[in-house]
Amino acid sequence: MPDQLRGDVRLLGEMLGTVLAENGGKDLLDDVERLRHAVIGARDGSVTGEQITELVASFPLERAKQVARAFTVYFHLANLAEEHNRIRSLRERDDADNPPRESLAAAVRAIRESSGEERLAELVDGMEFHPVLTAHPTEARRRAVSTSILRVSEQLEKLRAAHPGSTVEAEAHRRLLEEIDLLWRTSQLRYTKMDPLDEVRTALAAFDETIFRIIPEVYRTLDAAIDAAGSGQRPSQARPFVRYGSWIGGDRDGNPFVTHEITREAIAIQSEHVLRALENACGRISRTHTEYSNLTPASGDLRDTLATAQAGYPRMMGKILKRSPNEPHRQLLLLATERLRATRERNADLAYPGPEAFLSDLRTVQESLAAAGAHRQAYGELQHLIWQAETFGFHLAELEVRQHSAVHAAALEQLRAGEELSEQTREVLATLRVIAWIQERFGVEACRRYIVSFTRSAEDVAAVYELAEYALPTGKAPVLDVIPLFETGADLEASPQVLDGMLSLPGIIGRLDATGRRLEVMLGYSDSAKDVGPVSATLRLYDAQAQLAEWATRNDVTLTLFHGRGGALGRGGGPANRAVLAQAPGSVDGRFKVTEQGEVIFARYGQPAIARRHIEQVGHAVLMASTATVQDRAKEAATKFREVADTVAKAAHGAYRDLVDTPGFAAWFSQVSPLEELGELRLGSRPSRRSAATGLDDLRAIPWVFAWTQTRVNLPGWYGLGTGLAAAPDVDALRAAYAEWPLFASLLDNAEMSLAKTDRVIAERYLALGGRPELTERVLAEYDRTREIVLGVTGHTRLLENRSVLSRAVDLRNPYVDALSHLQLRALEALRTGEAEALSTEDRSHLERLLLLSVNGVAAGLQNTG
C-alpha cells in the first residue's frame, strides 16, 4: 500500500475511533476493536468462525447496531482515502510529452502513427460517447451521507495541502474531525421512500458539481492532443463528442410512480439546472472580456447584433452600455447572460427561443475576436462555454422514455376495440402528449427516444407510432426514434429478424430518411445474464453485436448499439473502457452508448479528476476499437477460438439452468439471502419485481445481483464458468484465448473479480439457512471448480494477481466486510429460524434495523450493490 494511502487510512480510522469513544464511550470502541481483531484473526487462522459468532451474539442488539454503523462509516472513509490516492496517481502520471495509458492523447498518437492524419481526423470527427444516467436503485447511500462524505473529502484535501505545524493544518484537522463526527451522527438508512423527482435531483448533483465543469476540459485535452501548439489560438479541431441522456423520470417500465406529470417535471428540473449553469458561466466569462474597441474592434455582425438588441431592449442595453462602454464583446456576452436568465425565468420577451440562438451570439463574439486578431480570447475560455452549450443545450440530457411492450399491446387492444380506456392506457397516451410538449418547449433533441423493453417483433415497435397517432391529431405527433430493447437470450438471437421487419414500418422509414439512415438498438445485459447465466450471456451478446453490425452493413444503416450495462459484474458491469475493446468488430464504429446506473454515477462522476479520467478512457477505447488494426486482431481471435468458446458457453449454460431450474430454488434463494428485506432500504422509487409473483422470472436483475452480493457468494458473476471451462478439451487453447481475445479475457477477468469478492466460509453459513444441503454443496463445488480453473487458465497464483490496485482494495476491505457479514448473519438467522418471533416489538425492530445497517455497510465495503 502506498505510504500516503496508508497514512490517510490510519488517520481517518483513528479519528473515527475518537468519535466512537466520544459518542458511545470507550466500551463501544472496545467492542468494535474486539470484532475487528477477531475477523482479522479469522483470516490467518488464529480465530475460528464459531468464536466470532459467539462474540457477535454477546452484543445487545442496540450495541450490535452501533458496531455495524461503525464499520459502515469506516468503509466510507476507506473508500474516500482510496479515491484521494487515485487522484494523486492521476496527477503524478499527467505528462503532456508522455500521455498516460488509455488517454485521448495516447489514442491520438497511436492512430496518427498507424493510420495517418486523414484517418485520425475521420475518427475524431465521427466519435460519439453517449452515457445515459438511470435511476435504477443501486445507490445504497443516502444523499445526506454522500454530501457528508464530500465535506470530509474537502477537509482531508485541505489538511494534506497545509504546511506541517501551521495553524491552517490545525484548523483543517479540527474541521476534519468535526465532519467525521457528523458523518457518524447521520443516519445511514432512508426513513422515507424515494420518489422519481428525488432521483432526478440526486443525479443532477453530479452535473452541478462535476460534469458541467469537466466536459470542456476533456475536449481541450483532445484538441491539444491533435495540435498542442495551436490549441487555444485557432478554431477547435475537437468536435464535442459527449452527449448525456437520462432515464430518470422517463423510465416507466414496471415503475407506476413515473407518470407523465413526473416526466414533464423532470425535464423542467434538468432545464433549470443547465440554464443556471450556463448563466453563471456566461456571466463569469463576460466579466473577463474587457477588450477595448480601439484595440479590438467589433465585427460588422457583432455591431448589428448589438444594434438590434438596443432597438428591442433599450432599457437593458442602456444599463449594459453604461456599465461597459467601448467594450462591445463584453456587451454582447452580458446581454447573453441576461437572456439566459430570462429563459430560465420564462420571460418570453427576452428569452432565447433555443440553444442555437444562444450559440449564435457566442459564435458572433468568437468570430469578431478572431477577425480582430484576438485569437487567444476567441478560442480560450469562450470556446469552453461554446462546448458546454453544444453538449448540454437547454435540456442538459436527453430524457428517454421506456415502457414494456406488453403495456403498449394492451393499450392498442382497447383503442382499436373502442373500449373504455384503462388508467394505464390513458397514461400511455398522456406520456406521448408530454413528449410532444417537451419537443415544442425545449426542442426535438430534448426527448425523442422511446425504448420498448422486451421487444419480440417489429409490431412492438410499430405499436408506439400507432399510439402516437391516437394520442395526437395527424401532423401533431412528436418526432420519435423508437428503439427496440432485446433482453433475453432468445430475443438477442432473433434481433436481426426484428430489424428486418422494422425496415418496412412507415415510422422507421421516415426517421431513416430524416437522419441519414441512422438507427439505434438497445441490448440488455442484466436480464440476459439472469436468464442464461454470465458466460452464455456474454457470448450471446457478442454474437448479437456481430450479427447486427453485419445487418447494418447489408442494409446501409449507421447503427448505434445501446448497451444496457449494470453497475455490478453480474449485470454486465466492469471497466467500461475494457468493455468497449471487447465488443464485436464493426459494432462500435466510433459510437458507444451505455447506461450509467446507481452507485456507478457517483463512483465515476463524484470527483472531477476521476470523471475526466473515465471519459478519457472510454473515448480512448472508442477510438481504438474503431481502428482496422484492433478490429482485425479481434476478428482473427474470434474466429480462432470460437469453437472452444461455444463449448465453454454450452456447458456453462447447462450448469446455470440446472441450478436455477431446481424445484424450490426461488424459495431457497429468498431464505439464504436478505432478498425480501432489500425493499426496506428504500433505494429507489421502482419496485423490485415486475408483478406480485414471487418467482425468479418476475424478479428484477438488480435485487437478484444485490442479494447474492450480500451473501458473499456473488453467484451471478461466475456461476457455470468452472463447468464450462472444464468442458474444454484443451487448456492450452483456453490460455491462448485469454491472451489473444479481448472478449474472453474480459470474461475471465470479471469472473476473477467476482471470485475475489466471494468468501467461501461466510457464504457457506448463508447457504445453510435454506435447509437444502444439496444446493449448498452444488454452489460451493462450482465455486471451487471455477476458482481453480480460472487461476489455471490465467496463470495467476492468486486471484487478481495482475491487478495490484484492485487486489489491494479487496484485501483492505475483506476482513471488515466479514465483520458486517457476521452481524448480518445474526439478524438473518434470527429472522429465518423464527427466533425473532419470541422478541419484543422493540427488539424485533432493532433486529430488522441491524439487518438493514449491515446490508448498507456490506454494499459500501464491497463497493457493489446491484
Side-chain angles (χ1 to χ4, degrees):
M1 186 184 298
D3 290 341
Q4 285 183 295
L5 174 58
R6 180 181 290 107
D8 285 348
V9 171
R10 182 183 296 117
L11 171 68
L12 295 171
E14 289 173 352
M15 286 188 164
L16 176 59
T18 299
V19 167
L20 294 179
E22 290 176 352
N23 285 271
K26 188 174 182 300
D27 289 346
L28 171 59
L29 180 58
D30 289 345
D31 284 340
V32 169
E33 285 297 295
R34 286 166 60 204
L35 181 55
R36 185 174 75 86
H37 287 295
V39 292
I40 291 173
R43 290 269 163 177
D44 62 26
S46 62
V47 177
T48 66
E50 290 75 14
Q51 289 174 307
I52 299 176
T53 300
E54 291 174 6
L55 172 61
V56 168
S58 72
F59 295 150
L61 285 171
E62 180 59 35
R63 174 51 54 87
K65 283 167 52 184
Q66 291 178 309
V67 173
R69 287 181 59 236
F71 279 98
T72 300
V73 173
Y74 170 79
F75 282 131
H76 292 320
L77 297 176
N79 292 343
L80 176 62
E82 284 194 332
E83 197 171 73
H84 274 250
N85 185 66
R86 186 179 175 196
I87 292 169
R88 279 194 298 268
S89 297
L90 290 173
R91 288 171 179 165
E92 290 167 2
R93 296 203 303 266
D94 187 10
D95 183 344
D97 294 326
N98 298 290
R101 291 174 56 251
E102 300 175 347
S103 64
L104 288 168
V108 167
R109 176 177 291 184
I111 295 169
R112 177 175 276 145
E113 292 174 354
S114 66
S115 306
E117 291 291 342
E118 186 176 341
R119 180 56 177 157
L120 172 62
E122 183 182 342
L123 285 173
V124 168
D125 187 59
M127 178 170 55
E128 296 176 11
F129 173 38
H130 196 155
V132 179
L133 310 181
T134 80
H136 288 16
T138 60
E139 173 55 85
R141 293 181 303 190
R142 293 178 61 214
R143 186 174 178 183
V145 172
S146 297
T147 54
S148 181
I149 293 169
L150 287 175
R151 292 194 300 270
V152 174
S153 176
E154 182 182 347
Q155 294 307 319
L156 179 61
E157 184 78 20
K158 289 181 179 179
L159 179 64
R160 291 314 190 196
H163 184 71
S166 65
T167 56
V168 173
E169 182 190 50
E171 175 59 12
H173 190 281
R174 183 196 68 78
R175 286 283 291 115
L176 180 57
L177 194 54
E178 177 186 344
E179 291 298 346
I180 293 174
D181 179 76
L182 184 56
L183 177 59
W184 164 255
R185 294 173 182 273
T186 300
S187 174
Q188 298 293 312
L189 302 177
R190 296 183 178 95
Y191 285 90
T192 57
K193 188 175 179 64
M194 293 182 75
D195 67 39
L197 295 183
D198 291 331
E199 294 167 334
V200 172
R201 295 185 179 96
T202 298
L204 289 184
F207 169 81
D208 294 340
E209 298 294 329
T210 304
I211 294 172
F212 184 78
R213 288 187 288 140
I214 58 99
I215 279 293
E217 296 176 7
V218 172
Y219 298 158
R220 179 64 70 189
T221 298
L222 178 57
D223 187 57
I226 296 168
D227 173 22
S231 184
Q233 302 179 65
R234 46 136 180 88
S236 170
Q237 296 185 29
R239 188 181 61 81
F241 64 87
V242 182
R243 288 292 185 276
Y244 279 88
S246 177
W247 281 12
I248 310 174
D251 180 11
R252 59 243 308 127
D253 177 16
N255 190 344
F257 305 108
V258 176
T259 64
H260 67 281
E261 292 99 335
I262 292 292
T263 300
R264 181 181 174 122
E265 186 65 22
I267 197 71
I269 294 171
Q270 287 185 189
S271 179
E272 164 73 20
H273 278 254
V274 73
L275 285 170
R276 191 178 293 277
L278 289 170
E279 178 188 332
N280 291 338
C282 191
R284 174 178 53 80
I285 289 174
S286 70
R287 290 190 290 274
T288 67
H289 276 276
T290 53
E291 298 92 356
Y292 182 47
S293 58
N294 284 358
L295 296 174
T296 312
S299 66
D301 284 346
L302 191 142
R303 291 196 304 271
D304 290 346
T305 301
L306 289 174
T308 301
Q310 194 162 2
Y313 320 115
R315 182 176 300 178
M316 177 175 294
M317 286 303 298
K319 293 179 181 178
I320 289 174
L321 293 171
K322 183 178 180 180
R323 176 182 173 185
S324 305
N326 301 312
E327 295 172 346
H329 299 92
R330 187 184 192 194
Q331 290 166 9
L332 185 49
L333 289 171
L334 288 169
L335 173 64
T337 304
E338 292 299 325
R339 295 194 69 186
L340 285 170
R341 180 178 297 114
T343 308
R344 179 171 57 82
E345 295 174 350
R346 305 198 65 177
N347 177 352
D349 289 340
L350 186 59
Y352 279 115
E356 281 306 318
F358 171 55
L359 278 165
S360 178
D361 281 350
L362 296 183
R363 289 174 181 137
T364 296
V365 175
Q366 185 177 61
E367 290 162 7
S368 176
L369 288 167
H375 296 99
R376 294 187 186 279
Q377 306 310 316
Y379 303 114
E381 285 298 296
L382 180 59
Q383 179 62 54
H384 287 195
L385 179 57
I386 290 173
W387 277 329
Q388 288 167 323
E390 289 173 330
T391 298
F392 302 109
F394 285 177
H395 58 277
L396 193 154
E398 181 190 348
L399 190 59
E400 300 187 357
V401 171
R402 182 174 74 142
Q403 183 56 282
H404 198 292
S405 59
V407 172
H408 300 145
L412 276 180
E413 185 177 352
Q414 290 181 354
L415 288 161
R416 289 167 178 167
E419 299 174 359
E420 182 178 350
L421 302 184
S422 66
E423 181 180 347
Q424 179 176 268
T425 298
R426 291 196 299 272
E427 176 58 36
V428 169
L429 299 178
T431 297
L432 289 161
R433 294 181 190 118
V434 163
I435 294 174
W437 175 85
I438 291 172
Q439 292 185 0
E440 183 179 350
R441 173 76 177 82
F442 298 101
V444 171
E445 294 303 311
C447 184
R448 61 179 170 84
R449 287 178 168 88
Y450 196 117
I451 294 104
V452 181
S453 57
F454 286 93
T455 298
R456 303 283 164 80
S457 68
E459 285 71 27
D460 290 332
V461 173
V464 179
Y465 289 109
E466 185 176 349
L467 286 165
E469 293 298 329
Y470 276 109
L472 292 110
T474 302
K476 298 291 186 180
V479 174
L480 291 174
D481 287 323
V482 182
I483 299 167
L485 168 52
F486 302 110
E487 302 185 71
T488 67
D491 292 344
L492 288 168
E493 290 178 3
S495 57
Q497 289 73 44
V498 174
L499 296 192
D500 283 336
M502 286 173 57
L503 288 181
S504 64
L505 300 178
I508 295 295
I509 293 171
R511 290 303 295 154
L512 288 174
D513 291 342
T515 62
R517 297 192 66 76
R518 294 174 69 92
L519 192 68
E520 191 171 307
V521 171
M522 185 171 183
L523 306 176
Y525 285 62
S526 303
D527 283 290
S528 61
K530 186 168 79 73
D531 178 39
V532 299
V535 181
S536 188
T538 298
L539 267 293
R540 292 193 191 194
L541 282 159
Y542 183 89
D543 287 343
Q545 293 165 28
Q547 292 167 13
L548 291 170
E550 292 172 2
W551 178 91
T553 300
R554 286 197 310 271
N555 291 280
D556 189 27
V557 168
T558 300
L559 184 69
T560 296
L561 294 179
F562 181 8
H563 301 269
R565 299 166 61 86
L569 295 171
R571 296 201 306 114
N577 56 308
R578 298 179 71 235
V580 175
L581 292 168
Q583 304 306 308
S587 64
V588 177
D589 197 22
R591 299 174 300 281
F592 186 63
K593 183 175 180 182
V594 66
T595 50
E596 304 268 40
Q597 301 184 8
E599 79 269 17
V600 170
I601 295 174
F602 292 95
R604 290 176 175 165
Y605 298 108
Q607 287 280 357
I610 292 173
R612 178 174 168 176
R613 176 62 173 163
H614 167 61
I615 296 174
E616 280 216 44
Q617 284 182 305
V618 175
H620 169 277
V622 170
L623 287 172
M624 297 305 297
S626 305
T627 62
T629 303
V630 171
Q631 291 188 63
D632 290 346
R633 189 185 306 132
K635 188 180 297 185
E636 182 181 344
T639 302
K640 181 178 179 180
F641 300 110
R642 186 60 212 225
E643 186 175 347
V644 69
D646 285 341
T647 300
V648 172
K650 182 179 179 181
H653 176 255
Y656 178 82
R657 289 309 314 181
D658 282 349
L659 176 69
V660 299
D661 290 338
T662 300
F665 177 83
W668 177 76
F669 174 47
S670 294
Q671 279 291 110
V672 305
S673 72
L675 173 66
E676 301 307 325
E677 288 81 6
L678 292 180
E680 296 304 313
L681 277 174
R682 303 178 178 91
L683 297 186
S685 65
R686 193 173 75 165
S688 61
R689 294 184 181 273
R690 288 188 167 91
S691 70
T694 57
L696 290 183
D697 289 344
D698 281 310
L699 179 66
R700 292 189 180 278
I702 290 170
W704 163 255
V705 173
F706 196 174
W708 278 119
T709 302
Q710 289 291 312
T711 65
R712 309 292 297 282
V713 178
N714 289 315
L715 180 145
W718 54 263
Y719 194 89
L721 177 59
T723 296
L725 294 173
D730 185 358
V731 70
D732 289 333
L734 294 175
R735 289 170 179 156
Y738 178 72
E740 299 175 32
W741 192 9
L743 176 78
F744 200 73
S746 178
L747 172 65
L748 264 63
D749 287 345
N750 285 345
E752 192 174 7
M753 196 186 310
S754 284
L755 292 166
K757 292 185 177 183
T758 298
D759 186 282
R760 193 188 191 284
V761 174
I762 293 176
E764 188 170 7
R765 282 192 61 194
Y766 277 95
L767 298 177
L769 293 173
R772 297 281 300 273
E774 78 283 7
L775 288 178
T776 298
E777 183 180 348
R778 193 189 306 183
V779 170
L780 295 177
E782 182 65 14
Y783 167 79
D784 293 338
R785 183 182 301 111
T786 304
R787 186 180 187 278
E788 179 183 356
I789 300 179
V790 165
L791 288 175
V793 172
T794 61
H796 300 159
T797 57
R798 60 180 179 82
L799 295 171
L800 301 180
E801 183 178 55
N802 65 331
R803 302 175 74 179
S804 58
V805 174
L806 183 58
S807 177
R808 182 181 67 226
V810 173
D811 290 344
L812 173 68
R813 289 170 173 77
N814 267 343
Y816 304 107
V817 178
D818 294 350
L820 285 160
S821 292
H822 282 287
L823 289 162
Q824 184 178 120
L825 276 163
R826 174 183 173 179
L828 198 60
E829 286 173 340
L831 291 167
R832 295 294 184 264
T833 60
E835 176 189 332
E837 301 300 325
L839 297 176
S840 66
T841 301
E842 181 180 3
D843 280 347
R844 184 179 175 88
S845 176
H846 285 317
L847 193 70
E848 291 168 347
R849 297 286 292 175
L850 171 60
L851 178 65
L852 296 180
L853 280 166
S854 65
V855 167
N856 197 292
V858 170
L862 295 177
Q863 295 183 296
N864 277 125
T865 53

